[in-house]
Amino acid sequence: MITFFGLGSRSAGKVRGMQVSNLLKSNFYDFNNIPSNANISKYVIFVRNRPSNGIEKELRRRGHIVGFDIIDNPVGDLLFRKIDPHMKNYVDDNSFDFYITNSKNNTEELKGYTENPIFTIPHHNCNFLNERTCFGAQIKKVGYLGLPEQNPYREEIDYFCKEIGLEYVCKNLKSRTECVDFLKTIHLGINFIGKKRIEGGGVIFENKENLAQDTIRKYKPCTKILNFQSFGIPSISSAYSSLDDFGGDSYMKVETLEEVKFQITKIVNDNNFRKNMSEKSYLNGKTYNIENIKNYYLEIPRYYQIK
């Protein structure tokens, strides 16, 4: 069906490579260790990272249809390699027949640099069984799941939670099962990366750890929220491009620390609001179960078969 290549040690390779290929009953190969007898199907996707040995061109020469899943490459390039983020950096029509992004906005940007097909595929959540564990009951534990450096106001949020009798727990977990076990224990999820203010007619993002917020908001797939929601956990989040597509009204959008505190207080004290947000969260979250996301990938061979 589709063969996936990527880095097996990276989260993108695990989530959009290994997990999807397992569901499709296809193969994932770490391109640093491709076996000589690799069973490579007609359709091939490189997940986020590219090798430097030109294997993409060789696969196309052999008749394979090859795609590039860009995901949040601009974020990594800016933060770790100091490369200005721009979707045109990932266009290589000599190597790829098609591209994949994780939001409609990114797809529209990419269209300015290639006429090849572009498929918009959201991240799937980690809750493969659609197991609901939060039903809007009393909030006791507030959680954050992700990299510590992308949670710059953790101390302020922790202090506020303690003031009103809540426990605030932050985890950076590596495996899907660890994430699932943690998410089953929390009642409210928060993903706040910094403040937004208007200055001189423009939008200024600021935070004390100097995150490249505009880039993160634009390109990062906000899987934290979809993971919260998949268990019915109400969530508070900064705005993300991907949430414009996939979040709807199922989360509480915030832009300042004061808004975070206001929404925490509101959802703790308002029983009906809390239960309503839990229900909305679960209904939205289960839409992005891996079984549903599988269909996005199946559209790729269908497109070429019809064409």
Side-chain angles (χ1 to χ4, degrees), residues 103-117:
S103 78
K104 295 175 184 176
N105 285 338
N106 294 346
T107 293
E108 288 304 310
E109 181 183 342
L110 194 60
K111 283 180 180 178
Y113 307 105
T114 180
E115 294 184 359
N116 287 2

Side-chain angles (χ1 to χ4, degrees), residues 42-68:
K42 182 176 181 62
Y43 303 96
V44 174
I45 295 174
F46 283 81
V47 181
R48 196 179 191 276
N49 300 93
R50 294 180 61 182
S52 57
N53 58 3
I55 186 176
E56 310 99 312
K57 291 185 178 67
E58 175 61 21
L59 287 170
R60 290 186 75 193
R61 188 188 67 79
R62 295 180 185 179
H64 298 277
I65 296 174
V66 181
F68 186 26

Side-chain angles (χ1 to χ4, degrees), residues 79 144 147-152 191-193 211 216 220 224:
L79 294 182
Y144 168 84
L147 295 171
E149 57 266 31
Q150 292 182 17
N151 188 21
N191 176 50
F192 176 61
I193 62 172
L211 285 175
I216 290 174
K220 197 80 173 170
K224 297 180 183 70

Side-chain angles (χ1 to χ4, degrees), residues 195-243:
K195 299 181 286 187
K196 183 177 83 171
R197 59 187 170 86
I198 306 297
E199 184 176 287
V203 176
I204 304 295
F205 296 108
E206 58 181 17
N207 64 68
K208 61 185 180 181
E209 295 191 6
N210 198 29
L211 285 175
Q213 281 201 60
D214 52 346
T215 302
I216 290 174
R217 290 166 181 256
K218 185 175 183 180
Y219 296 111
K220 197 80 173 170
C222 199
T223 50
K224 297 180 183 70
I225 299 307
L226 295 180
N227 284 336
F228 288 141
Q229 291 185 340
S230 69
F231 291 90
I233 301 165
S235 52
I236 297 170
S237 179
S238 300
Y240 282 70
S241 174
S242 60
L243 286 178

Side-chain angles (χ1 to χ4, degrees), residues 155-295:
E155 292 180 2
E156 289 86 345
I157 295 172
D158 182 50
Y159 181 81
F160 180 75
C161 286
K162 286 177 179 175
E163 277 191 322
I164 60 175
L166 302 177
E167 181 183 6
Y168 182 51
V169 182
C170 302
K171 296 282 188 180
N172 179 25
L173 304 171
K174 300 301 182 184
S175 73
R176 186 187 71 83
T177 53
E178 286 177 321
C179 293
V180 167
D181 289 343
F182 171 65
L183 290 168
K184 287 179 178 180
T185 69
I186 68 171
H187 314 112
L188 174 65
I190 298 180
N191 176 50
F192 176 61
I193 62 172
K195 299 181 286 187
K196 183 177 83 171
R197 59 187 170 86
I198 306 297
E199 184 176 287
V203 176
I204 304 295
F205 296 108
E206 58 181 17
N207 64 68
K208 61 185 180 181
E209 295 191 6
N210 198 29
L211 285 175
Q213 281 201 60
D214 52 346
T215 302
I216 290 174
R217 290 166 181 256
K218 185 175 183 180
Y219 296 111
K220 197 80 173 170
C222 199
T223 50
K224 297 180 183 70
I225 299 307
L226 295 180
N227 284 336
F228 288 141
Q229 291 185 340
S230 69
F231 291 90
I233 301 165
S235 52
I236 297 170
S237 179
S238 300
Y240 282 70
S241 174
S242 60
L243 286 178
D244 290 343
D245 293 343
F246 312 122
D249 63 349
S250 59
Y251 72 105
M252 293 157 275
K253 187 185 296 185
V254 292
E255 295 294 1
T256 68
L257 187 58
E258 291 307 310
E259 289 180 3
V260 174
K261 294 176 181 178
F262 173 82
Q263 293 292 358
I264 292 174
T265 304
K266 179 179 180 181
I267 202 160
V268 166
N269 294 328
D270 190 329
N271 293 340
N272 290 332
F273 176 66
R274 185 170 64 248
K275 290 177 181 179
N276 184 45
M277 288 305 299
S278 174
E279 184 67 16
K280 282 185 177 181
S281 294
Y282 181 68
L283 292 175
N284 187 70
K286 73 177 185 178
T287 304
Y288 303 102
N289 180 272
I290 192 169
E291 285 285 350
N292 296 328
I293 299 302
K294 173 181 71 174
N295 296 321

Side-chain angles (χ1 to χ4, degrees), residues 68-85:
F68 186 26
D69 189 355
I70 297 170
I71 319 180
D72 60 344
N73 256 316
V75 177
D77 278 348
L78 179 63
L79 294 182
F80 305 114
R81 290 171 283 278
K82 310 305 179 187
I83 299 173
D84 287 339

